[in-house]
Amino acid sequence: MLELKSDQIRARFTTLGARLVSLEFAGADMLMGGGNDADILAGDWTAGATIGRIAGRITNARITIDGADYPLAKNFGEHQLHGGPDNFAVRHWKAQPTDNQIHFSLHSPDGDQGYPGALDVSATYSLAGSTLALDLEARTTKPTVVNLTNHGYWNLSGGERNAFAHEMQILGSRYLPLSDELLPLGELHDVTGTRWDFRKLRPVAEVYDNCWVLDGQRGTLKHGLTLKDPVSGRTMQVWTTETGMQMYTAEHWNPGFPGKAGPLAQYAAIAIEPQNFPDAPLHKSFPSAELRPGEVYRNRIEWRFSK
């Protein structure tokens, strides 16, 4: 297990999925999921991992780039989820640790899970004081699509209270409505007057699995989300250069999923995934997920903690 430590935070990582396994702050481990690689693969393999090539769902597991169709590997019925069955979260990355940084790297060959282009990906975690940062980058040999994120499941009470007891603010005035299969409809709806309005800090209270459109420009580091445990006062701000913020209340967790402190109970944590919109390659109105040779995909995520 790899580790970064400051005067306020202790964070642990594994090469499986370039994964954040635990984060200890103000007396609590606030990352939920499996502790060792075997438990991770037996439970929720997304927990804490770097997700790719494409985070979220791809409708009908098929993309089109420059007029050419590419069928993708399916792992969500007729669709693809989080990059396919052999995705970045279930592979071991190369790790290069230094005093305050861990640089993970992975090579994805041309045709991997159906995607064109050989892709070289890096995930670099760095720690300073009460802020943990992650810089995600990717380069390709052919025109392709990329949407990388971290899929940490957070519980700022350290597991004493569930997802619904947290308070949340999302700095986004629109969200992506979904079909019955949880696939984006290609529309953006105003949050005003709906249960998706988190523009002011308020209790989570119920089930969510949606992406919000963050206010602010893509490519610019901005405050996207605040999560707070009102009992302990532990608070996390999530900053990102991406345009979307996926939030999910662990509805599928069940006693069959092993965790660090016992089985992962339903609604025990909140997945927070700063990213481009899911299904972006299939919707021309969404921000582009295309990456071409000579370009660099980037997504910087910062988790800023206070109490």
Side-chain angles (χ1 to χ4, degrees), residues 14-19 36-38 40-41 49 88-93 104:
T14 178
T15 59
L16 180 66
R19 185 181 313 265
N36 58 48
D37 290 355
I40 290 165
L41 293 175
F88 293 176
V90 297
R91 301 183 193 179
H92 282 280
W93 297 48
F104 292 99

Side-chain angles (χ1 to χ4, degrees), residues 205-288:
E206 56 185 316
V207 175
Y208 289 93
D209 187 5
N210 287 93
C211 185
W212 280 256
V213 183
L214 295 179
D215 298 332
Q217 186 176 355
R218 188 184 189 193
T220 300
L221 187 66
K222 54 194 167 292
H223 180 198
L225 180 149
T226 295
L227 185 66
K228 181 176 182 179
D229 172 35
V231 177
S232 70
R234 296 185 195 96
T235 301
M236 177 177 72
Q237 288 188 358
V238 182
W239 291 61
T240 181
T241 56
E242 262 295 2
T243 191
M245 185 70 70
Q246 183 79 23
M247 189 266 277
Y248 170 56
T249 50
E251 185 176 13
H252 74 291
W253 279 11
N254 64 74
F257 286 0
K260 289 178 285 185
L264 300 178
Q266 190 176 39
Y267 312 128
I270 302 173
I272 297 171
E273 308 156 59
Q275 59 177 73
N276 191 7
F277 300 170
D279 217 21
L282 276 71
H283 302 280
K284 292 184 178 179
S285 61
F286 285 4
S288 176

Side-chain angles (χ1 to χ4, degrees), residues 6-282:
S6 73
D7 59 344
Q8 300 182 57
I9 289 174
R10 183 185 185 188
R12 292 182 175 178
F13 309 84
T14 178
T15 59
L16 180 66
R19 185 181 313 265
L20 177 59
V21 176
S22 68
L23 190 141
E24 298 172 14
F25 172 77
D29 181 358
M30 304 189 299
L31 251 294
M32 303 292 112
N36 58 48
D37 290 355
D39 285 347
I40 290 165
L41 293 175
D44 189 329
W45 49 266
T46 67
T50 300
I51 300 297
R53 292 188 184 192
I54 290 282
R57 297 167 178 85
I58 296 290
T59 299
N60 296 323
R62 183 176 294 273
I63 59 173
T64 301
I65 302 175
D66 295 341
D69 281 343
Y70 297 92
L72 308 177
K74 301 174 182 179
N75 63 335
F76 187 73
E78 291 301 305
H79 316 292
Q80 188 186 86
L81 175 65
H82 291 326
D86 185 17
N87 57 76
F88 293 176
V90 297
R91 301 183 193 179
H92 282 280
W93 297 48
K94 294 181 180 178
Q96 295 175 289
T98 60
D99 288 343
N100 66 342
Q101 187 178 97
I102 302 175
H103 177 80
F104 292 99
S105 59
L106 181 75
H107 178 76
S108 173
D110 186 13
D112 190 2
Q113 305 300 287
Y115 290 98
L119 198 73
D120 285 303
V121 187
S122 65
T124 305
Y125 294 91
S126 56
L127 181 59
S130 61
T131 297
L132 178 68
L134 170 61
D135 286 290
L136 298 166
E137 294 189 356
R139 295 168 174 82
T140 183
T141 60
K142 295 179 181 178
T144 191
V145 290
V146 178
N147 182 21
L148 306 178
T149 190
N150 175 274
H151 202 298
Y153 278 95
W154 298 92
N155 184 314
L156 304 195
S157 75
E160 293 183 8
R161 291 164 289 282
N162 71 7
F164 303 149
H166 286 71
E167 295 177 344
M168 181 172 286
Q169 179 187 27
I170 301 176
L171 301 173
S173 55
R174 295 175 294 168
Y175 75 100
L176 278 62
L178 304 175
S179 72
D180 291 341
E181 292 185 276
L182 303 178
L183 302 168
L185 297 175
E187 303 168 1
L188 305 180
H189 285 191
D190 193 326
V191 301
T192 303
T194 74
R195 73 184 191 96
W196 290 277
D197 192 347
F198 280 95
R199 287 175 293 181
K200 294 183 179 179
L201 190 71
R202 67 171 178 85
V204 174
E206 56 185 316
V207 175
Y208 289 93
D209 187 5
N210 287 93
C211 185
W212 280 256
V213 183
L214 295 179
D215 298 332
Q217 186 176 355
R218 188 184 189 193
T220 300
L221 187 66
K222 54 194 167 292
H223 180 198
L225 180 149
T226 295
L227 185 66
K228 181 176 182 179
D229 172 35
V231 177
S232 70
R234 296 185 195 96
T235 301
M236 177 177 72
Q237 288 188 358
V238 182
W239 291 61
T240 181
T241 56
E242 262 295 2
T243 191
M245 185 70 70
Q246 183 79 23
M247 189 266 277
Y248 170 56
T249 50
E251 185 176 13
H252 74 291
W253 279 11
N254 64 74
F257 286 0
K260 289 178 285 185
L264 300 178
Q266 190 176 39
Y267 312 128
I270 302 173
I272 297 171
E273 308 156 59
Q275 59 177 73
N276 191 7
F277 300 170
D279 217 21
L282 276 71

